[in-house]
Amino acid sequence: MQLDTPTLFACLTVAGFAGSAILLLFYRFWPVKSLAGSRSLALWAAGLFLAGCGTLLIGLRGTIPDGLSIIGANFLIILAIGLRRAGLAVLLGLRGHLWVFAIVATGWLVMCLFPPFLDSFLFRVNYVQSCLILGGLWMAAMVFFENTDKLHSARLLGMTILVECAAFAWFMLNQNLLQFPTFLSAFPEGFMTVYLVVLLFSTVMTIVLPPSMLVEKSRELSREENARNDVTGLSTRGAFCDDAQAWIRENRENGSGYSLILFDLDELKTVGEKYSPAMSDALLQLFARILKDTVGETAVAGHIGKNEFAVFLPETDHERTRLTAQSLCRQFGLGCEEASAGKLMISVSVGFVTASAVTRLGRVMETAERGLEKAGRQGKAQIVAVDLTTSGSARNSAWKPAFTTQHKNAA
């Protein structure tokens, strides 16, 4: 196939129609459907379809009336960029603002009522290409500055759109310098070949990337759902460690410290067997609610095992950590007693570690787990504390009774 402007223009036209059909087929067979995804792909497909119609009418210039090949074609192309922008906005959770492009397209129709404007190829090129450039820059700004989900495919789309904007600017620059009287006179020129090649590339990319964004967003939502425990809504073990490790990486150089508290709800299995699994789930939810209400926004709370919870406390010393652990145990004990009218006496075993940010989280987690095991061996309802030096070795170990409805004087 010869790489000439008529061939490239034909490919560009076909790409618009084919892209529209591909996006609709993708959504038809994509198993994870959503309202935002449906609207986004529908708008993007409509934009590609209108762009295909516009390029088809331009390709027929000289054989059909100018009202269609000039006025109608560019009207559709301006609306097409608006539909693409609206489709992107919906997927990013932003407003479509399609009315802006409707006004710009209407402005094009109004300008074409004036013969000096309609008869000037230069004026028409500057109007349409400026609209396309500004619309593209608006889209690029959205994906670079308002992409709250940090979608990699959206960033790639933004770079593709910037390349497309560069092609529009290239065409407009050449027309302003060379000032061809008509589109047909400019069509065989070398700069037009470059222009069409870039547009064809960007069109193909804008067919591939919107579905990629939808797939990436679906995977991100699935990952977030898997990062939460189904019963308590707290972070699972992996997500908890990721969040804690992120803070440690950021503060490793400034000498900050942190504490890690592990909780084990004593004899929760017995409660489930004696009453019902729903009762044990209710106790888990009660403890999770107390954690959320108590530890503060800077802390990280997680449900890391069947009966185990963890709290990561940034910049918290030994004494404050101990008081936090006792307060949580006290609130849970009283909450159980109140909810069951005094029938349930549930205690909590605790192991906690205070360490420097240079100490590996894995080392701290292992030490806290040993403290938790020691609390269980000492009769449960105990708080066992271990301090670690900057080198990661255990410095001291101590234990205190945790609050329990069975030992209210420990509060």
Side-chain angles (χ1 to χ4, degrees), residues 229 232 234-237 284 301-310:
N229 183 275
T232 62
L234 293 178
S235 299
T236 58
R237 188 183 189 92
L284 292 171
H303 187 172
I304 63 171
K306 188 171 184 180
N307 303 334
E308 289 188 17
F309 293 82

Side-chain angles (χ1 to χ4, degrees), residues 227-346:
R228 299 287 172 182
N229 183 275
D230 294 337
V231 176
T232 62
L234 293 178
S235 299
T236 58
R237 188 183 189 92
F240 171 82
C241 291
D242 288 343
D243 292 340
Q245 191 68 355
W247 184 91
I248 293 173
R249 282 195 300 268
E250 293 176 2
N251 294 272
R252 183 162 288 154
E253 303 300 327
N254 61 17
S256 298
Y258 66 91
S259 294
L260 177 69
I261 313 175
L262 299 184
F263 301 89
D264 184 25
L265 306 192
D266 299 328
E267 300 179 353
L268 190 65
K269 181 179 179 181
T270 303
V271 172
E273 293 173 350
K274 183 177 180 179
Y275 296 95
S276 68
M279 177 64 75
S280 60
D281 286 348
L283 294 175
L284 292 171
Q285 291 165 356
L286 172 62
F287 193 78
R289 185 165 62 251
I290 292 170
L291 280 183
K292 294 175 185 176
D293 294 341
T294 303
V295 297
E297 295 182 359
T298 59
V300 180
H303 187 172
I304 63 171
K306 188 171 184 180
N307 303 334
E308 289 188 17
F309 293 82
V311 175
F312 179 85
L313 298 172
E315 299 179 343
T316 307
D317 59 19
H318 178 100
E319 184 61 20
R320 184 179 171 190
T321 303
R322 183 183 65 81
L323 292 174
T324 300
Q326 284 187 322
S327 174
L328 288 166
C329 293
R330 180 179 186 277
Q331 292 182 64
F332 180 66
L334 293 176
C336 289
E337 185 178 34
E338 181 180 348
S340 65
K343 295 180 181 179
L344 289 179
M345 303 294 186
I346 305 298

